[in-house]
Amino acid sequence: MSEHRYRLLFVVSHPIQYAVPLFRLMAEHPKLDILVAYCSLQGAEPGIDSEFGIEVAWDIPLLDGYPWIYLPNQSPKPRLGNFFGLINLGLWQLVRTNSFDAVVAYTGYAYASFWIVAAAAKTQEMALLFGTDAHELSTRDNQLWKVQIKKWLLPQIFSLADIVIVLSSGGLKLMSSLGIPQQRVQLTPYVVDNQWWITQSEQVNREVVRQQWDIPQAAVVVLFCAKLQPWKRPRDVLKAFAKANVSGSYLVFAGEGPLRIELEAAAKALQLSERVKFLGFVNQSHMPSIYRSADLFILPSEYEPFGVVVNEAMLCGCPVTVSDQVGARYDLIHPSETGIVYPCGNVDALAAILQSLLPDKKRLKRMGEAAYQRMKTWSPRENVEALVKAIERSVKHKA
């Protein structure tokens, strides 16, 4: 007798480069029969990214290797990042006219389309799974009144899920603090396509990349790779780099955003223009060369639910330093082994880390190797197997 296959509908806001490899893996899984429904095709098609401030289309295939459909968006002002920016009325009929075992909503409850699919799943008595990448209740704009509303509202929202999906150990703690029963929460590791990153990084020629950057081969390179937005705190990295003033060190900013002009002016005022490089937006296929050619990656964010750039850097053998607001620290950072965690906003502490690490290339190499080894058990394989467990539990719970 053939093994039962669960028919799953994944509802996703738009093609996400991190999720696509998982869909491909699920499409081959013996227990899963999946369909991905997109509410927007931004990312696979060119579109303005409001946070980068430029038009973006990822240069890797996002719509190959798994079954998907696009449901027209009836929003009068279609866009991501706005509750009424996604209104995909076709979700109602899709759910109600198909015998799915479970619906997995990756849209997030901050979109109208999420509530359409949640209502449809409930009326059909289908198992409903959704969750969050958050590890705390703080908001990007640091508004305390929003935190108070979340404390009251989120337990009610997550109680709608048969299984709540979280992406880190920090997420497990958050659900516990909200009173969500442990048996209704599943950790599915937040991952990237590990093998792709490893394969691509192994092909990188550091000498060529550094020549393109106009950086000496013997130099030690600090990397900031993120959108140049206030909550990412790129200013902290520049200030700490200047304060540390380690001989033979360089700082590379890979990313675009509204703070770029300010950062370039600050680097000039600090007389660091020759040692601080701005690469602008770097598309996905070129990112392995960025990480591989750096010696230390820094993510200083004050708001970072997870931070999969940490995964990417570690897979490329680059040690990491992150603030204590970065969700990836819970599962990926073993202090002084795979990376270092410091208090967010503490420029002096970050400068001290740079002064300690940058002159010690042997230590940086050891940490980079340990970071690479850590990622062997934080991969798409663990993510999909955890999701299968969540599906099985949700179907039983619904029954």
Side-chain angles (χ1 to χ4, degrees):
M1 181 180 293
S2 61
E3 188 173 29
H4 174 71
R5 301 181 72 197
Y6 294 100
R7 292 198 66 215
L8 305 182
L9 174 65
F10 288 85
V11 182
V12 189
S13 58
H14 63 294
I16 303 169
Q17 68 269 35
Y18 305 118
V20 167
L22 297 175
F23 293 147
R24 293 182 182 133
L25 198 57
M26 293 176 200
E28 299 176 351
H29 198 284
K31 289 187 177 182
L32 304 179
D33 179 10
I34 75 166
L35 175 64
V36 178
Y38 284 120
C39 301
S40 164
L41 291 180
Q42 182 172 322
E45 297 177 349
I48 297 295
D49 187 303
S50 60
E51 293 178 2
F52 277 123
I54 60 174
E55 185 176 82
V56 171
W58 298 110
D59 63 354
I60 58 173
L62 297 179
L63 300 175
D64 300 342
Y66 61 97
W68 63 274
I69 60 172
Y70 166 66
L71 297 172
N73 184 8
Q74 282 82 30
S75 170
K77 293 183 178 180
R79 62 194 186 278
L80 299 178
N82 182 277
F83 182 83
F84 294 108
L86 293 180
I87 306 177
N88 304 83
L89 300 178
L91 287 168
W92 178 264
Q93 183 177 6
L94 178 64
V95 173
R96 289 180 60 85
T97 58
N98 288 273
S99 301
F100 297 111
D101 291 298
V103 176
V104 186
Y106 281 174
T107 50
Y109 54 82
Y111 286 112
S113 288
F114 167 85
W115 295 99
I116 295 172
V117 76
K122 289 297 181 181
T123 60
Q124 293 299 101
E125 298 187 351
M126 291 178 185
L128 176 64
L129 294 85
F130 64 90
T132 178
D133 58 357
H135 59 92
E136 57 183 22
L137 294 177
S138 64
T139 61
R140 184 182 292 178
D141 55 10
N142 292 315
Q143 296 294 316
L144 293 179
W145 65 270
K146 291 183 180 180
V147 174
Q148 296 303 317
I149 290 178
K150 281 186 172 185
K151 287 181 180 179
W152 171 78
L153 188 60
L154 289 186
Q156 300 179 64
I157 292 177
F158 287 124
S159 67
L160 297 174
D162 294 285
I163 295 292
V164 178
I165 298 172
V166 296
L167 305 182
S168 71
S169 298
L172 293 175
K173 294 179 180 179
L174 175 60
M175 290 301 110
S176 177
S177 72
L178 294 175
I180 306 300
Q182 182 179 354
Q183 64 270 23
R184 291 181 57 193
V185 182
Q186 178 67 52
L187 168 60
T188 60
Y190 204 166
V191 298
V192 297
D193 187 348
N194 286 25
Q195 193 54 54
W196 184 88
W197 284 94
I198 292 170
T199 301
Q200 295 299 312
S201 67
E202 289 174 346
Q203 300 173 14
V204 173
N205 187 322
R206 267 174 65 113
E207 293 186 5
V208 171
V209 175
R210 290 202 169 190
Q211 286 174 1
Q212 295 171 346
W213 291 350
D214 193 24
I215 291 178
Q217 300 299 326
V220 60
V221 174
V222 177
L223 172 66
F224 173 94
C225 178
K227 297 171 181 177
L228 302 181
Q229 292 280 0
W231 66 86
K232 298 287 186 180
R233 302 188 72 94
R235 302 183 187 97
D236 289 0
V237 181
L238 180 59
K239 292 176 182 177
F241 179 78
K243 188 176 184 68
N245 195 28
V246 177
S247 176
S249 63
Y250 286 74
L251 172 60
V252 172
F253 285 98
E256 194 56 83
L259 293 183
R260 176 166 179 171
I261 295 176
E262 176 188 325
L263 290 166
E264 289 177 329
K268 184 176 182 180
L270 292 167
Q271 298 183 340
L272 291 173
S273 295
E274 295 299 316
R275 293 170 53 203
V276 179
K277 310 292 182 178
F278 292 87
L279 306 183
F281 172 75
V282 180
N283 218 318
Q284 193 80 351
S285 66
H286 298 290
M287 285 307 305
S289 66
I290 305 297
Y291 294 119
R292 192 71 165 182
S293 301
D295 298 292
L296 179 66
F297 171 70
I298 299 178
L299 187 60
S301 307
E302 65 185 40
Y303 176 83
E304 197 72 60
F306 190 84
V308 286
V309 286
V310 175
N311 304 47
E312 297 170 355
M314 292 173 66
L315 285 164
C316 295
C318 186
V320 297
T321 294
V322 304
S323 81
D324 58 5
Q325 298 303 302
V326 175
R329 78 184 191 276
Y330 287 101
D331 301 284
L332 301 185
I333 307 301
H334 299 163
S336 298
E337 181 182 343
T338 63
I340 295 177
V341 180
Y342 75 97
C344 182
N346 191 329
V347 173
D348 290 339
L350 182 54
I353 291 170
L354 296 181
Q355 288 176 331
S356 172
L357 284 181
L358 298 189
D360 194 343
K361 291 187 177 182
K362 290 184 178 180
R363 185 183 176 192
L364 286 171
K365 184 177 181 180
R366 287 196 306 270
M367 290 176 65
E369 291 172 348
Y372 173 81
Q373 292 297 322
R374 167 65 188 94
M375 298 307 296
K376 288 185 176 180
T377 55
W378 192 266
S379 73
R381 180 183 62 254
E382 283 80 24
N383 178 287
V384 172
E385 291 308 318
L387 181 65
V388 171
K389 291 180 181 178
I391 297 298
E392 292 173 340
R393 289 166 56 199
S394 68
V395 171
K396 290 178 181 178
H397 176 263
K398 178 59 67 176

